[in-house]
Amino acid sequence: MGISRRQFVGGAVAVGVAATTSGFAPAPAPAARLWEEYADSPYTHPQIPYVGRAGARRGATRLPEPPVVANVLAYGAVPDGSADSAPAINRALAEAGERGGGTVLVPPGTYRIDGYLHIGHSGVVLRGAGSARTTLLATKHLTELIGPYGSRYGGDKSSWSWAGGLIWLAPRARFDSLTAAIRERAWPFEGWTGNRRDEWQTLTTVRPARQGDWSVTVDDPSALRRGRVVLLRLADDADHTLLEHMAGGGAGPEAYHWDDKTKLTSYVPYEWPVRIASVRGSRVTFERPLPLDARPEWDPRIVTPAEPLTDSGVVGLTLEAVETAQSPHLLDKGYNGVTFQCAYDCWAEDVVVRHADNGFGLVAASACTLRRTRVEGRGSHHPYFCREGAHDNLVEDFRIAARTVPAPAGTQLHGINVEGLSSHNVWSRGAMEMGTFDTHRGMPFANVRTEITVENNGRHGGDASAGPLYGARFAHWNVTVTNGRAGLVKIDTIAPYSATVGISEVREFDQIDVPDFAGELHARVEAYGSPGAVRPRNLYEAQRTLRR
């Protein structure tokens, strides 16, 4: 499935090729040679992942606008903030879903919501009149509304620190089982298969395939059809060779001690949701290339996920929580913004979250787009979080605004978070006035951050049992660091098989990270000190021009 340089479209690489009068070609733009190298093997490059199909509908620039089927005013919502409008909005959302989907309109105004809003049907879009014109004022947090949410790993932590939203997009059955378990204090698994890791059924086993392949051969295609979202499931073996593969392989990962990383090993099997593009005999083609090898020792199979939420979204509104002091670290009450869970091909666009504990969440969510989103106000623990096997998501044109009040003692600030074996996610064209590139242990791999300006003043999280900070093929490309701090941005000394390209000159201070793997990391650093001049300027957008 390789491509040649001649097969990609218009201007992704700025390389001078005309001879000068002295007989020498001008020097290429910074990192252009690395891009050419990548373009010759885009699906299998050792340091740079292929993310050109990340986002809803394979990264579509225009997302669906289903017809308006309900106006919340007709259901009793009040646009002057004088009464609780959550029941009315939820009735409108539920009825729209039961009728087959459509847009639920929230006209200009301020709507008090004393409860959470749930989008549980596919094809339902909650649309305001624009983030500057429609405001939802949230008065309560998720601990009040659903109950305390402890960690399945023990301790006194609140799982509302990394889960749930006051606008929560999750398939109805999955949401009901999840919240029932929380109320019963039977802390659930939050992933793609249900509250336990065994709530899936095998559709077929998969014959050996390689990372970057778009098609696999299966033993029984009878349950597979074009357009169906399925899970590719890879189990680890006793020697943890799957985890080693995610880390790039070689001496360092082979020498790493995996057995005591109990939180990390609880994230395996690796589950990758993907839509089937075609089925021809026993040959199944996906809409994205394989993120990893499918080797016999990992028992590769296609299985059922929870029925995912698809083609639903939130557009054109501000969700503002009542302003309270930020909670101590890991004790968040759940003034959380918009969260997607078990969602595929869903989106948020022109949405602002203000005064939140946690802004936008992707929890076992894949192929979702967050576009023109912003987190602002008193300061958040996680402005953006991406966890529990969330893959192929796109966050673009985002902003994390500087906090409006000083951080209380004992609180924590992360930034753009990724963890829990999440892979092939993209953060593009961002302005971060605070926070950091929070790779939160749990060995996420093959993620991209590109064309971002950051005041790098946050911290990463993750306890030791969650294992390495980075797996292989992390790429930071065209990053301007306004305060000169290296941590979590310049990663060539800590991340295996990574690419640090076109970032500001930085130095270590205040937080020093050490590599998880011994020996040679096989990392690349290019165009150091040249943000803005590096070509291509945006790694994700350049990859979108590549054709199979």
Short mmCIF file of all heavy atoms in Angstrom, two decimals, residues 204 215-218 220-228 230 275-286 302:
data_model
loop_
_atom_site.label_atom_id
_atom_site.label_comp_id
_atom_site.label_asym_id
_atom_site.label_seq_id
_atom_site.Cartn_x
_atom_site.Cartn_y
_atom_site.Cartn_z
N THR A 204 -15.07 -13.04 14.31
CA THR A 204 -14.19 -13.89 13.51
C THR A 204 -12.76 -13.73 14.01
O THR A 204 -12.42 -12.72 14.63
CB THR A 204 -14.25 -13.55 12.01
OG1 THR A 204 -13.44 -14.47 11.27
CG2 THR A 204 -13.76 -12.14 11.74
N SER A 215 -6.16 -3.90 4.91
CA SER A 215 -7.05 -5.06 4.81
C SER A 215 -6.48 -6.22 5.61
O SER A 215 -5.26 -6.33 5.79
CB SER A 215 -7.23 -5.49 3.35
OG SER A 215 -7.78 -4.45 2.58
N VAL A 216 -7.38 -7.09 6.06
CA VAL A 216 -6.99 -8.33 6.74
C VAL A 216 -7.79 -9.48 6.13
O VAL A 216 -8.88 -9.28 5.57
CB VAL A 216 -7.23 -8.26 8.26
CG1 VAL A 216 -6.37 -7.19 8.90
CG2 VAL A 216 -8.71 -8.06 8.59
N THR A 217 -7.26 -10.66 6.29
CA THR A 217 -7.98 -11.88 5.91
C THR A 217 -8.56 -12.49 7.17
O THR A 217 -7.86 -12.64 8.17
CB THR A 217 -7.04 -12.86 5.21
OG1 THR A 217 -6.50 -12.26 4.04
CG2 THR A 217 -7.77 -14.13 4.81
N VAL A 218 -9.84 -12.84 7.13
CA VAL A 218 -10.52 -13.39 8.30
C VAL A 218 -10.96 -14.82 8.00
O VAL A 218 -11.07 -15.24 6.84
CB VAL A 218 -11.73 -12.53 8.70
CG1 VAL A 218 -11.30 -11.11 9.00
CG2 VAL A 218 -12.81 -12.54 7.62
N ASP A 220 -13.93 -16.15 9.05
CA ASP A 220 -15.37 -16.26 8.82
C ASP A 220 -15.96 -14.85 8.65
O ASP A 220 -16.16 -14.13 9.64
CB ASP A 220 -16.04 -16.96 9.99
CG ASP A 220 -17.55 -17.06 9.83
OD1 ASP A 220 -18.06 -16.73 8.74
OD2 ASP A 220 -18.22 -17.48 10.80
N PRO A 221 -16.23 -14.42 7.43
CA PRO A 221 -16.75 -13.06 7.21
C PRO A 221 -18.26 -12.93 7.34
O PRO A 221 -18.80 -11.85 7.11
CB PRO A 221 -16.32 -12.78 5.77
CG PRO A 221 -16.39 -14.12 5.11
CD PRO A 221 -15.98 -15.12 6.16
N SER A 222 -18.95 -13.97 7.73
CA SER A 222 -20.42 -13.99 7.64
C SER A 222 -21.09 -12.91 8.49
O SER A 222 -22.18 -12.43 8.14
CB SER A 222 -20.96 -15.37 8.02
OG SER A 222 -20.62 -15.70 9.36
N ALA A 223 -20.47 -12.52 9.61
CA ALA A 223 -21.08 -11.51 10.49
C ALA A 223 -20.60 -10.10 10.19
O ALA A 223 -20.99 -9.16 10.88
CB ALA A 223 -20.78 -11.86 11.95
N LEU A 224 -19.78 -9.95 9.17
CA LEU A 224 -19.19 -8.65 8.87
C LEU A 224 -19.90 -8.03 7.67
O LEU A 224 -20.27 -8.72 6.72
CB LEU A 224 -17.70 -8.80 8.58
CG LEU A 224 -16.88 -9.53 9.66
CD1 LEU A 224 -15.43 -9.59 9.25
CD2 LEU A 224 -17.05 -8.87 11.02
N ARG A 225 -20.05 -6.71 7.72
CA ARG A 225 -20.67 -6.01 6.60
C ARG A 225 -20.08 -4.61 6.49
O ARG A 225 -19.60 -4.04 7.47
CB ARG A 225 -22.19 -5.92 6.77
CG ARG A 225 -22.61 -5.05 7.95
CD ARG A 225 -24.11 -4.97 8.11
NE ARG A 225 -24.50 -4.03 9.14
CZ ARG A 225 -24.54 -4.31 10.43
NH1 ARG A 225 -24.22 -5.53 10.85
NH2 ARG A 225 -24.90 -3.38 11.31
N ARG A 226 -20.16 -4.09 5.30
CA ARG A 226 -19.68 -2.74 5.05
C ARG A 226 -20.44 -1.74 5.94
O ARG A 226 -21.65 -1.80 6.08
CB ARG A 226 -19.89 -2.39 3.59
CG ARG A 226 -19.40 -1.01 3.18
CD ARG A 226 -19.61 -0.79 1.68
NE ARG A 226 -19.11 0.50 1.26
CZ ARG A 226 -19.82 1.62 1.24
NH1 ARG A 226 -21.09 1.58 1.62
NH2 ARG A 226 -19.29 2.76 0.85
N GLY A 227 -19.70 -0.83 6.57
CA GLY A 227 -20.29 0.21 7.40
C GLY A 227 -20.39 -0.14 8.87
O GLY A 227 -20.62 0.75 9.70
N ARG A 228 -20.20 -1.41 9.24
CA ARG A 228 -20.31 -1.79 10.65
C ARG A 228 -19.06 -1.36 11.41
O ARG A 228 -17.94 -1.49 10.92
CB ARG A 228 -20.50 -3.31 10.77
CG ARG A 228 -20.70 -3.77 12.20
CD ARG A 228 -21.04 -5.24 12.31
NE ARG A 228 -21.37 -5.59 13.68
CZ ARG A 228 -21.74 -6.80 14.10
NH1 ARG A 228 -21.87 -7.79 13.22
NH2 ARG A 228 -22.02 -7.02 15.37
N VAL A 230 -16.62 -2.25 14.35
CA VAL A 230 -16.21 -3.44 15.09
C VAL A 230 -14.96 -3.11 15.89
O VAL A 230 -14.36 -2.05 15.75
CB VAL A 230 -15.94 -4.62 14.13
CG1 VAL A 230 -17.21 -5.03 13.40
CG2 VAL A 230 -14.83 -4.26 13.12
N ARG A 275 -14.44 1.23 11.43
CA ARG A 275 -15.56 0.96 10.54
C ARG A 275 -15.06 0.14 9.35
O ARG A 275 -13.98 0.42 8.80
CB ARG A 275 -16.19 2.27 10.06
CG ARG A 275 -17.56 2.07 9.40
CD ARG A 275 -18.14 3.40 8.92
NE ARG A 275 -18.45 4.32 9.99
CZ ARG A 275 -19.55 4.28 10.73
NH1 ARG A 275 -20.44 3.32 10.53
NH2 ARG A 275 -19.75 5.18 11.68
N ILE A 276 -15.84 -0.84 8.96
CA ILE A 276 -15.49 -1.68 7.82
C ILE A 276 -15.83 -0.94 6.53
O ILE A 276 -16.95 -0.47 6.34
CB ILE A 276 -16.24 -3.02 7.89
CG1 ILE A 276 -15.80 -3.82 9.12
CG2 ILE A 276 -16.01 -3.84 6.62
CD1 ILE A 276 -16.61 -5.08 9.36
N ALA A 277 -14.83 -0.83 5.63
CA ALA A 277 -15.04 -0.17 4.35
C ALA A 277 -15.57 -1.13 3.29
O ALA A 277 -16.35 -0.73 2.42
CB ALA A 277 -13.74 0.47 3.87
N SER A 278 -15.14 -2.40 3.33
CA SER A 278 -15.64 -3.37 2.36
C SER A 278 -15.35 -4.78 2.85
O SER A 278 -14.43 -5.00 3.65
CB SER A 278 -15.00 -3.16 0.98
OG SER A 278 -13.62 -3.46 1.01
N VAL A 279 -16.15 -5.71 2.37
CA VAL A 279 -15.95 -7.14 2.62
C VAL A 279 -16.03 -7.84 1.27
O VAL A 279 -17.08 -7.79 0.59
CB VAL A 279 -17.00 -7.71 3.58
CG1 VAL A 279 -16.74 -9.21 3.83
CG2 VAL A 279 -17.02 -6.95 4.90
N ARG A 280 -14.94 -8.47 0.88
CA ARG A 280 -14.89 -9.20 -0.39
C ARG A 280 -14.36 -10.60 -0.11
O ARG A 280 -13.16 -10.77 0.09
CB ARG A 280 -14.02 -8.47 -1.40
CG ARG A 280 -14.57 -7.09 -1.78
CD ARG A 280 -13.69 -6.35 -2.74
NE ARG A 280 -14.25 -5.05 -3.07
CZ ARG A 280 -13.63 -4.13 -3.83
NH1 ARG A 280 -12.43 -4.40 -4.33
NH2 ARG A 280 -14.22 -2.98 -4.08
N GLY A 281 -15.28 -11.54 -0.07
CA GLY A 281 -14.89 -12.89 0.32
C GLY A 281 -14.39 -12.86 1.76
O GLY A 281 -15.06 -12.36 2.66
N SER A 282 -13.20 -13.38 1.99
CA SER A 282 -12.61 -13.38 3.33
C SER A 282 -11.70 -12.17 3.57
O SER A 282 -11.05 -12.09 4.61
CB SER A 282 -11.81 -14.66 3.55
OG SER A 282 -10.75 -14.75 2.61
N ARG A 283 -11.69 -11.25 2.62
CA ARG A 283 -10.84 -10.06 2.73
C ARG A 283 -11.66 -8.88 3.23
O ARG A 283 -12.66 -8.49 2.60
CB ARG A 283 -10.21 -9.74 1.37
CG ARG A 283 -9.03 -8.79 1.44
CD ARG A 283 -7.84 -9.46 2.04
NE ARG A 283 -6.64 -8.60 2.01
CZ ARG A 283 -5.60 -8.77 2.78
NH1 ARG A 283 -5.56 -9.78 3.65
NH2 ARG A 283 -4.55 -7.98 2.70
N VAL A 284 -11.25 -8.31 4.36
CA VAL A 284 -11.97 -7.20 4.99
C VAL A 284 -11.07 -5.97 4.96
O VAL A 284 -9.93 -6.02 5.43
CB VAL A 284 -12.37 -7.55 6.43
CG1 VAL A 284 -13.09 -6.38 7.09
CG2 VAL A 284 -13.23 -8.80 6.46
N THR A 285 -11.58 -4.88 4.42
CA THR A 285 -10.83 -3.62 4.35
C THR A 285 -11.45 -2.62 5.33
O THR A 285 -12.68 -2.49 5.41
CB THR A 285 -10.86 -3.05 2.93
OG1 THR A 285 -10.25 -4.00 2.04
CG2 THR A 285 -10.09 -1.73 2.85
N PHE A 286 -10.58 -1.92 6.05
CA PHE A 286 -11.01 -0.94 7.04
C PHE A 286 -10.86 0.47 6.48
O PHE A 286 -10.19 0.69 5.47
CB PHE A 286 -10.19 -1.07 8.33
CG PHE A 286 -10.29 -2.43 8.97
CD1 PHE A 286 -9.15 -3.15 9.26
CD2 PHE A 286 -11.52 -2.98 9.29
CE1 PHE A 286 -9.22 -4.40 9.87
CE2 PHE A 286 -11.62 -4.22 9.90
CZ PHE A 286 -10.45 -4.93 10.19
N ILE A 302 -11.76 -10.12 15.49
CA ILE A 302 -12.71 -9.03 15.39
C ILE A 302 -13.89 -9.38 16.29
O ILE A 302 -14.46 -10.48 16.19
CB ILE A 302 -13.16 -8.82 13.94
CG1 ILE A 302 -11.99 -8.32 13.09
CG2 ILE A 302 -14.31 -7.82 13.87
CD1 ILE A 302 -12.29 -8.24 11.61
#
